[in-house]
Amino acid sequence: MKKFKRGLPLTKTSKYFFSGENRAIGPTKSNLSMNHKILFLTIGFLTVLSCNPSLHYSKIEGKQIAITDTLPSSPAIEAFIEPYREHVNKSLDSVLSYAVDTYSKSDGYLNTAIGNLIADGLYEQSNPIFKKRSGHDIDFALINHGGIRAIISKGNITTRTAYEVMPFENAIVVVKLKGEGVKELLEYLAAAKRAHPISKLNIELDKTGKLASAKIKGKPIDYDSTYYVLTNDYLLGGGDKMDFFKKNDTVYVLDYKIRNAMIDYFKTKDTVSPVKDNRFIQLQ
Amino acid sequence: MKRRDFLQQSLAATTLIGLGGLGLQSFTGTTKKITILHTNDVHSHIDPFGPEDGRNPNKGGVARRAGLIASIRQENPNTLLFDAGDIFQGTPYFNYYGGELEFKLMSMLKYDAATIGNHDFDNGVDGLFAQLPHAKFDFICANYDFTNTVMDGHVKPYKIYMVDGVKIGVFGLGVELDGLVDKKMYKETVYLNPIEIAQDMSDLLAKKEKCDLVICLSHIGYQYKDYPNRPSDLNLAKATEGIDLIIGGHTHTFLDKPTVVKNRLGHKMLVNQVGCYGINLGRIDFYFDSGKNKLAKGVSIVV
């Protein structure tokens, strides 16, 4: 392949010479002139030593080598990693709070204890920051059910728990939505019938599954007003097809990761005992 | 030029005068072997996966990779080691140390160069810059223009290595950042069309610099089945000429073996990627036969 794709460097005689194409020097010329030419070329070559004869590979071998436990580990690398590993593990295993029960995102239909815990926790951690920066209160929170990646087990809640439950690097944003956008948001939730975690928002669906009523902080929604909605940057970007977040007036970036906010929240609670409640229900 | 090559060539020249231009074909019969090792998308996976892991039990681990690389270097000192990006993000090591440990370990493993992946912007272009003092290897990327960022001057479009007299040109390519990385993270980094840049680089390295081997370190992805026209390693290979090997990343593609692709001139070349998380090491050996008449035989590819 290679040998055909690059033209012979005809302008560089020394290189040409050394590529083994001696026939091209010219068999029709006399011996005398040929010898002269060779001598000339040789001197030329010796004075331009950086001109390497071009090299051409004749064979390629390719393979993939699996890194498995049968390979010997480098003790020097092991020793170098160890203090880092120790510090990370110690920090990950540091106890933040205590869970009185085991909480899973599958324990509930339209709302779950673990989802309520996270949505309420994010609201509690974010609202003071948002208020300080914007002068407004956050009206309600909505994140995605799929963002909860593990259970919280009964017992100690550690930093590792927070990493397991929220491995993604998503950050908190506050989106200013018009009443129209809030309406779309409610219709989305009514149609999805999934326990997307919410806080400060109450939704009732009728027996047929249609939106019956909704309240923000216990008050009826004014669709002519605007609302400040806490969510994450994944949903703002159109994740889970929550496209209503794109129709916002303003986005406030808090520079606060979801996981870090929850770690900070757990630190403020000696124990957590969240419950499934009536924030999002379907009337029977 | 190495002294050995000088002697070899001087001797050849002297012999030539004596023989009057005859018997040139056999002036060197030595075969040179260049070994290229590579990883991609290691994503901060420093420790091996545990025995309980559902997908990759007991696989990966930097200390084991170090042992393997050391034994390969012992077997062939003419070895280069590259990474195709996404060094960062994936374990708490990154969250705690911001990439410091990843760069320090890659330096200890004597990586020669890495290209830049989208996740390497996860702490922003400033976060990447902050870790540069820990990296004793080069960052190579030809299609990100860092001019108006802190990374300006710290990323080379390409680098040329002389290994055992073989001239090896390596250039890097990054994936489109818009839609993948928050603008506030990559800031004024400008993404340029990788296919066009790749041909420019290949012309420069193969024709102007006369490299014996041209390697592309790519983080643009192996292939996009749902978006067949998106720039990818397979599309890049088919649309260009002069590249001998594309070392890929981004799509976490596990291949049974390196893919042999025909470039736009119909010449065969290799595209490889080794999955992710440091589970595999790619190894490509090139055998150079400097004495061979270059029009005589084709290249045999054994994968």
Side-chain angles (χ1 to χ4, degrees), chain A residues 1-9 12 15 17-23 34-35 38-39 42 45-46 49-69 71-74 76-78 80-81 83-85 87-88 91-92 159 163 169 253 255 257 259, chain B residues 1 6 9 12-13 16 20-21 24 27 46-47 58-60 63-64 66-68 89 93 95-97 100-101 104-105 108-109 165-166 184 206 210-214 242-244 255 267-268 270 274 278-290 293-294 297 299-303:
Chain A
M1 48 177 274
K2 165 132 296 189
K3 52 190 57 170
F4 296 106
K5 65 186 170 182
R6 291 178 196 162
L8 289 172
K12 291 197 175 176
K15 195 161 185 179
F17 185 76
F18 265 92
S19 61
E21 303 286 324
N22 55 338
R23 277 165 298 148
M34 189 168 172
N35 280 340
I38 288 166
L39 188 63
T42 307
F45 176 74
L46 288 171
L49 283 167
S50 61
C51 275
N52 218 18
S54 41
L55 296 166
H56 300 276
Y57 53 81
S58 53
K59 186 174 152 191
I60 313 171
E61 284 176 348
K63 61 178 173 181
Q64 179 171 283
I65 308 165
I67 309 292
T68 64
D69 49 4
L71 291 170
S73 235
S74 158
I77 297 290
E78 256 318 310
F80 189 82
I81 297 169
Y84 289 88
R85 182 187 291 137
H87 176 255
V88 167
S91 170
L92 285 175
T159 307
Y163 271 87
E169 299 304 313
V253 177
D255 283 318
K257 282 184 182 171
R259 180 178 53 239
Chain B
M1 173 176 289
F6 168 77
Q9 282 156 2
L16 195 66
L24 191 64
F27 79 100
I46 285 158
D47 293 324
N58 296 317
K59 287 187 180 169
R64 292 175 189 162
L68 175 63
Q89 192 71 266
Y93 283 113
N95 305 92
Y96 279 74
Y97 297 105
E100 173 194 323
L101 185 57
K104 281 183 170 173
L105 290 169
M108 291 174 81
L109 268 61
V166 179
K184 77 176 198 274
K210 305 209 182 308
C211 291
D212 303 308
L213 197 57
V214 175
I243 303 169
D244 299 292
L255 299 168
H267 302 144
K268 286 178 185 170
L270 285 186
V274 290
I279 288 168
N280 296 303
L281 179 73
R283 173 174 182 168
I284 313 286
D285 293 305
F286 289 89
Y287 294 84
F288 286 82
D289 195 348
S290 55
N293 181 329
K294 65 188 215 166
K297 245 171 77 178
V299 175
S300 75
I301 299 178
V302 185
V303 290

Side-chain angles (χ1 to χ4, degrees), chain B residues 41-298:
Chain B
D41 299 276
V42 178
H43 282 295
S44 305
H45 282 263
I46 285 158
D47 293 324
F49 286 97
E52 306 296 319
D53 187 81
R55 279 191 183 171
N56 306 300
N58 296 317
K59 287 187 180 169
V62 177
R64 292 175 189 162
R65 197 191 329 147
L68 175 63
I69 289 166
S71 70
I72 294 171
R73 285 190 199 276
Q74 201 160 23
E75 171 205 318
N76 182 17
N78 300 316
T79 293
L80 293 174
L81 173 60
F82 299 113
D83 185 89
D86 276 8
I87 295 164
F88 289 175
Q89 192 71 266
T91 70
Y93 283 113
F94 178 68
N95 305 92
Y96 279 74
Y97 297 105
E100 173 194 323
L101 185 57
E102 289 85 332
F103 282 1
K104 281 183 170 173
L105 290 169
M106 287 173 73
S107 303
M108 291 174 81
L109 268 61
K110 298 191 176 63
Y111 270 80
D112 291 286
T115 194
I116 296 169
N118 48 301
H119 280 289
D120 299 320
F121 290 95
D122 277 6
N123 279 345
V125 70
D126 300 289
L128 176 59
F129 176 74
Q131 299 304 330
L132 289 183
H134 303 300
K136 292 188 177 70
F137 52 90
D138 290 304
F139 288 93
I140 298 181
C141 187
N143 71 323
Y144 288 159
D145 181 353
F146 287 106
T147 306
N148 293 322
T149 74
V150 288
M151 289 296 286
D152 186 33
H154 297 283
V155 181
K156 299 174 171 72
Y158 67 89
K159 180 148 175 158
I160 294 173
Y161 301 86
M162 278 301 278
V163 183
D164 193 23
V166 179
K167 194 171 180 181
I168 303 163
V170 183
F171 69 95
L173 292 177
V175 69
E176 182 161 19
L177 296 170
D178 184 35
L180 203 56
V181 180
D182 199 324
K183 167 87 173 151
K184 77 176 198 274
M185 292 298 184
Y186 66 83
K187 291 188 171 169
E188 298 304 313
T189 308
V190 179
Y191 162 86
L192 305 166
N193 183 307
I195 311 275
E196 288 170 20
I197 296 284
Q199 192 53 58
D200 292 348
M201 281 292 121
S202 159
D203 287 345
L204 173 76
L205 295 171
K207 291 176 181 163
K208 192 156 173 270
E209 294 287 349
K210 305 209 182 308
C211 291
D212 303 308
L213 197 57
V214 175
I215 298 173
C216 172
L217 265 187
S218 155
H219 197 79
I220 65 173
Y222 181 75
Q223 182 182 30
Y224 299 94
K225 290 218 167 86
D226 296 338
Y227 306 92
N229 296 323
R230 190 180 283 183
S232 66
D233 292 337
L234 290 187
N235 287 343
L236 170 69
K238 287 172 200 154
T240 56
E241 61 182 90
I243 303 169
D244 299 292
L245 168 66
I246 298 174
I247 294 171
H250 187 56
T251 41
H252 296 201
T253 305
F254 287 89
L255 299 168
D256 293 332
K257 54 186 187 176
T259 312
V260 180
V261 185
K262 279 184 178 171
N263 73 9
R264 74 179 181 192
L265 298 182
H267 302 144
K268 286 178 185 170
M269 45 96 61
L270 285 186
V271 176
N272 201 22
Q273 191 177 146
V274 290
C276 53
Y277 308 149
I279 288 168
N280 296 303
L281 179 73
R283 173 174 182 168
I284 313 286
D285 293 305
F286 289 89
Y287 294 84
F288 286 82
D289 195 348
S290 55
K292 203 161 274 179
N293 181 329
K294 65 188 215 166
L295 292 172
K297 245 171 77 178

Side-chain angles (χ1 to χ4, degrees), chain A residues 118-247:
Chain A
I118 293 171
D120 291 347
L122 293 177
Y123 182 92
E124 197 173 314
Q125 287 305 120
S126 305
N127 195 46
I129 299 169
F130 182 68
K131 188 158 193 179
K132 203 173 166 189
R133 290 194 198 163
S134 70
H136 303 285
D137 280 301
I138 298 171
D139 291 299
F140 68 96
L142 164 63
I143 57 164
N144 54 320
H145 185 245
I148 305 169
R149 307 303 291 185
I151 59 169
I152 294 177
S153 298
K154 182 178 176 176
N156 287 335
I157 296 174
T158 63
T159 307
R160 194 184 296 280
T161 315
Y163 271 87
E164 286 166 356
V165 175
M166 293 154 286
F168 302 130
E169 299 304 313
N170 295 324
I172 298 166
V173 292
V174 177
V175 177
K176 189 177 178 183
L177 282 189
K178 287 198 173 78
E180 196 185 321
V182 173
K183 198 166 189 177
E184 272 184 57
L185 180 153
L186 294 170
E187 279 161 5
Y188 173 97
L189 291 175
K193 295 191 177 54
R194 208 171 161 198
H196 290 301
I198 55 176
S199 183
K200 311 287 177 196
L201 176 66
N202 280 80
I203 305 169
E204 281 180 358
L205 306 182
D206 64 21
K207 282 179 187 172
T208 67
K210 291 213 173 68
L211 189 63
S213 73
K215 285 176 178 173
I216 293 170
K217 289 185 176 170
K219 291 177 192 165
I221 297 169
D222 175 4
Y223 290 104
D224 294 323
S225 182
T226 57
Y227 291 91
Y228 295 97
V229 187
L230 180 155
T231 187
N232 64 43
D233 49 3
Y234 168 72
L235 297 178
L236 174 65
D240 280 5
K241 297 204 163 58
M242 293 199 191
D243 294 331
F244 43 83
F245 278 127
K246 288 181 180 167
K247 300 172 187 169

